Amino acid sequence: MDYRYESSETLSTNLMTIENRNKCVACFKQFNKMEHLVEHMRTSYHSVHEPICGICKKHCRSFESLREHLIGPLPKQECKNIFNIRGCKFCLAILDSPNARWIHQERCQFSSINSGLLARFANLGIRDNLTVDNGRTRGPQVVALACKMVGGGSDGSLDLCARVCLIDESENIIFHTYVKPPIPVTNYRYETTGIRPEYLRDAMPLRQVQRKIQDFLCNGEPMWKIRPKGGKARILVGHGLDHDLDRLQVEYPAIMMRDTAKYPPLMKTSKLSNSLKYDIQTGIQDPYEDCVATLRLFMRMRSQVHKIEDYPLASDPQNRNNFASWRQNELERMSPEQLLEISRSDYYCWCLDSRDM
């Protein structure tokens, strides 16, 4: 027996074991020391809520980075080959067969937004079906909001809300109106808003719009009492909600807002906000179509099925000591799989909203 060969083979096996021990099982990053892996897990917030490759199970921070992993300029070749045969180009899921993929994609793609009859109805003027039901409807109600801005100030660069639309979960318009800004309009931005001076002459004053939307969103619940679970207030979906609500002078708790511009899985790899890139953004933009686009994104994110955890957020009190520095020695004795098991998300995953339905 060649003992030299046997010892070198054993050494190689031991080296591979050490390498795997210092490798993150979520993003596959390799570290020289276990303490470096622990620090990585402490700051990466890997969780079951991240977009995950259906082939190699790599965790990605956003769907854009998952798309790059699968079909980007430098994809993982094995994953790309399988994705090209069985992958959905819309949601990036991996199906069982090419035929299953074809059937899935027919249902998965966003149907074209009806910019015909409903949008023309929106253009006719006021639609006001806002009602306060004091939470009689079971589960949190979801509504989407979008605004169109005209310009104020000497150079027309100050955004003034001149049109607002709210739709329900079935994409029905529940509120639409032109809004009379509190200061003179100096730029109607007609090329993108389609708004003319005569549309705002007898429009609803901003203060009245603000009060109606505020009351509708709170749904009979005092602002200080609004909570994400078990309350009466409505979940508000939109793109750039902070800006829209600021221009409407509406106050609403962040815990009830689902902003597609700030949701980590929908953001760019650089962590910059995505713009709302749909066909609806070419030429004159209709707020109804913006509402539908953001609502459908929210519904897709909410429908994801992730492992149920009693305390899914890193900020939950029960998880605050998961990677505490005083546990360093204990953490370094854990396997990479065990470290991932105790890791939690640093953002609220919208799949959690489906558990209240």
Side-chain angles (χ1 to χ4, degrees):
M1 180 181 291
D2 190 339
Y3 290 101
R4 288 175 300 174
Y5 178 80
E6 182 182 31
S7 60
S8 64
E9 186 179 56
T10 303
L11 179 60
S12 176
T13 301
N14 290 339
L15 286 173
M16 288 179 63
T17 302
I18 292 172
E19 285 182 0
N20 289 335
R21 175 165 171 73
N22 297 341
K23 181 180 180 180
C24 175
V25 293
C27 66
F28 302 161
K29 287 183 179 178
Q30 184 72 52
F31 299 90
N32 292 328
K33 296 182 179 179
M34 191 61 183
E35 64 186 272
H36 298 156
L37 173 59
V38 170
E39 182 58 30
H40 165 75
M41 296 301 295
R42 183 178 284 133
T43 58
S44 64
Y45 299 102
H46 287 310
S47 75
V48 296
H49 299 287
E50 292 177 302
I52 299 175
C53 175
I55 302 162
C56 68
K57 307 306 177 185
K58 179 181 179 179
H59 290 227
C60 299
R61 190 60 178 171
S62 68
F63 283 100
E64 183 186 53
S65 53
L66 175 58
R67 187 176 294 276
E68 290 176 356
H69 167 77
L70 291 168
I71 53 176
L74 295 171
K76 184 174 180 181
Q77 197 59 46
E78 178 187 355
C79 295
K80 179 183 178 180
N81 293 342
I82 295 174
F83 181 82
N84 286 340
I85 299 171
R86 297 192 280 117
C88 173
K89 63 182 179 181
F90 301 111
C91 68
L92 307 181
I94 306 299
L95 287 305
D96 294 332
S97 67
N99 186 53
R101 169 201 184 188
W102 182 83
I103 296 171
H104 170 86
Q105 284 191 160
E106 286 295 303
R107 292 183 287 105
C108 188
Q109 63 181 326
F110 286 137
S111 58
S112 59
I113 297 171
N114 184 357
S115 58
L117 186 62
L118 282 173
R120 285 199 294 273
F121 279 162
N123 283 324
L124 292 178
I126 294 176
R127 174 78 63 87
D128 188 354
N129 295 325
L130 298 183
T131 57
V132 176
D133 68 7
N134 291 304
R136 286 192 294 271
T137 304
R138 184 180 177 186
Q141 299 172 60
V142 176
V143 296
L145 175 143
C147 299
K148 287 304 162 195
M149 307 290 174
V150 292
S154 59
D155 60 355
S157 63
L158 178 64
D159 283 347
L160 303 172
C161 180
R163 190 177 174 191
V164 61
C165 182
L166 269 166
I167 67 172
D168 63 19
E169 206 164 330
S170 299
E171 300 180 6
N172 299 311
I173 298 172
I174 50 180
F175 183 68
H176 169 265
T177 186
Y178 289 102
V179 182
K180 190 169 187 176
I183 64 174
V185 177
T186 55
N187 183 356
Y188 285 87
R189 305 174 184 173
Y190 178 78
E191 294 78 10
T192 56
T193 67
I195 296 175
R196 300 180 184 277
E198 56 266 30
Y199 296 172
L200 305 185
R201 196 165 294 137
D202 298 314
M204 190 179 295
L206 176 64
R207 184 61 63 187
Q208 185 179 352
V209 173
Q210 178 264 336
R211 186 170 60 251
K212 279 178 170 288
I213 293 178
Q214 187 94 58
D215 291 345
F216 176 73
L217 293 177
C218 293
N219 200 25
E221 195 159 33
M223 186 74 69
W224 60 269
K225 199 177 178 183
I226 291 176
R227 58 193 187 280
K229 303 286 184 181
K232 298 180 289 185
R234 293 175 165 97
I235 292 174
L236 179 62
V237 176
H239 190 84
L241 280 173
D242 288 340
H243 181 256
D244 284 352
L245 294 185
D246 178 67
R247 297 296 87 192
L248 287 166
Q249 299 179 10
V250 170
E251 294 182 7
Y252 205 53
I255 55 173
M256 300 303 295
M257 292 158 56
R258 307 292 181 261
D259 195 335
T260 58
K262 297 167 65 176
Y263 189 52
L266 295 176
M267 294 174 73
K268 295 180 179 179
T269 307
S270 61
K271 295 190 177 181
L272 296 175
S273 167
N274 271 325
S275 59
L276 195 58
K277 292 182 179 177
Y278 288 85
D279 292 338
I280 62 175
Q281 290 288 26
T282 59
I284 293 176
Q285 301 163 12
D286 193 305
Y288 169 75
E289 296 177 337
D290 286 2
C291 284
V292 172
T294 55
L295 180 66
R296 291 181 183 180
L297 271 177
F298 167 77
M299 300 285 276
R300 176 166 288 181
M301 294 298 103
R302 189 181 70 176
S303 66
Q304 293 181 105
V305 179
H306 296 147
K307 177 184 174 182
I308 296 176
E309 299 166 321
D310 291 335
Y311 306 102
L313 297 175
S315 57
D316 288 333
Q318 295 81 359
N319 296 322
R320 286 178 183 167
N321 288 328
N322 284 10
F323 288 95
S325 56
W326 54 265
R327 294 186 63 189
Q328 185 69 24
N329 290 337
E330 177 191 354
L331 293 169
E332 289 182 22
R333 290 194 297 271
M334 289 184 178
S335 68
E337 291 78 11
Q338 289 172 323
L339 291 174
L340 180 59
E341 185 68 26
I342 65 171
S343 184
R344 293 294 182 269
S345 175
D346 60 342
Y347 63 87
Y348 179 88
C349 181
W350 292 348
C351 79
L352 302 174
D353 287 330
S354 65
R355 298 175 193 174
D356 286 340
M357 303 308 291

